[in-house]
Amino acid sequence: MTARKTAQISSRKQPKQARSNELVAAILEAAVQVLAKEGATRFTTARVAERAGVSVGSVYQYFPNKAAILFRLQSDEWRQTTDLLRTILEETGTPPLERLRRLVHAFIRSECEEAAMRVALSDAAPLYRDAPEAREARAASARTFQSFMREALPKSKPAARAAASALITATLSAVGKAYSESPRSPRDITLYADAMADMFCAYLEDIGRR
């Protein structure tokens, strides 16, 4: 069962030549446009091929079905988010709580900037959310945050750090999604991120004093 799911959402082959890379890039750009215009329910391989100006067969060279295309878009989004998280949280020259504050601001801003695409991809999530690749993407983010928590709360018990990590990441994800569903001005985003960062920092300071 697992092997079958992996085959359905994995790319058929990886592009190795410049022209192949350009083709895949064109397909993915077209997929973004189709998803933004049609939504997940009307997203089809044929529409992607038409928007990219290529044959459906060309799309199938790299993506076996629409789930594979959507999963690639989602994987790219996960990778960008994970890289953002890792880059900020691993800045060891910066105090932990300041890193957390920067992360909150960057995350909320990113959520608002990518709101339309994220909502569309969320609608498509049932196609791949239980796949091994999806679980690994979530696990990678969790490992980065857990490592940060060991630095931020060095005297706390592992259970307390794990609970704090789970609460903050779950809150960031849920609140970021909800907040970004309405248009926000840059000033509103800054004020909201400040308030959320204050809350998280106070929470970690309280745990550290226990």
Side-chain angles (χ1 to χ4, degrees):
M1 180 66 70
T2 299
R4 182 174 63 85
K5 287 184 178 180
T6 301
Q8 286 182 336
I9 64 170
S10 298
S11 299
R12 279 203 164 110
K13 64 178 181 178
Q14 297 299 319
K16 296 181 179 180
Q17 299 179 348
R19 190 164 67 176
S20 297
N21 280 313
E22 291 173 0
L23 173 59
V24 170
I27 292 170
L28 293 175
E29 177 59 31
V32 168
Q33 295 173 11
V34 171
L35 189 60
K37 180 180 179 181
E38 305 290 348
T41 57
R42 289 176 52 81
F43 184 93
T44 65
T45 304
R47 285 192 172 95
V48 171
E50 181 180 6
R51 179 59 63 93
V54 301
S55 68
V56 173
S58 294
V59 176
Y60 283 142
Q61 287 184 50
Y62 299 96
F63 302 99
N65 49 42
K66 71 175 187 178
I69 302 173
L70 290 167
F71 183 72
R72 171 61 183 273
L73 294 179
Q74 180 65 85
S75 294
D76 289 347
E77 195 275 334
W78 278 332
R79 189 177 303 108
Q80 291 170 6
T81 300
T82 300
D83 289 346
L84 172 70
L85 184 151
R86 182 184 299 110
T87 298
I88 294 174
L89 294 186
E90 291 182 353
E91 291 176 355
T92 55
T94 303
L97 294 186
E98 178 59 28
R99 276 179 265 163
L100 180 58
R101 182 172 295 279
R102 291 181 184 179
L103 175 67
V104 172
H105 275 265
F107 184 83
I108 296 299
R109 186 167 57 250
S110 175
E111 287 288 280
C112 291
E113 290 172 352
E114 303 295 334
M117 179 58 61
R118 193 202 60 255
V119 170
L121 286 172
S122 295
D123 291 340
L127 293 171
Y128 49 71
R129 63 186 170 196
D130 295 324
E133 296 95 327
R135 291 196 295 270
E136 174 53 32
R138 293 191 292 267
S141 293
R143 288 192 295 270
T144 298
F145 227 98
Q146 288 162 6
S147 178
F148 167 77
M149 284 298 175
R150 286 193 292 272
E151 185 180 353
L153 300 171
K155 297 181 180 179
S156 298
K157 294 181 178 180
R161 290 197 296 262
S165 179
L167 186 148
I168 290 176
T169 53
T171 302
L172 263 178
S173 178
V175 175
K177 178 180 183 300
Y179 182 74
S180 64
E181 287 175 352
S182 298
R184 309 290 181 178
S185 71
R187 182 175 182 277
D188 288 340
I189 293 172
T190 297
L191 291 174
Y192 192 86
D194 273 336
M196 181 175 285
D198 287 343
M199 179 179 67
F200 288 152
C201 289
Y203 172 55
L204 291 188
E205 288 173 338
D206 181 63
I207 293 176
R209 287 192 295 265
R210 294 177 190 174

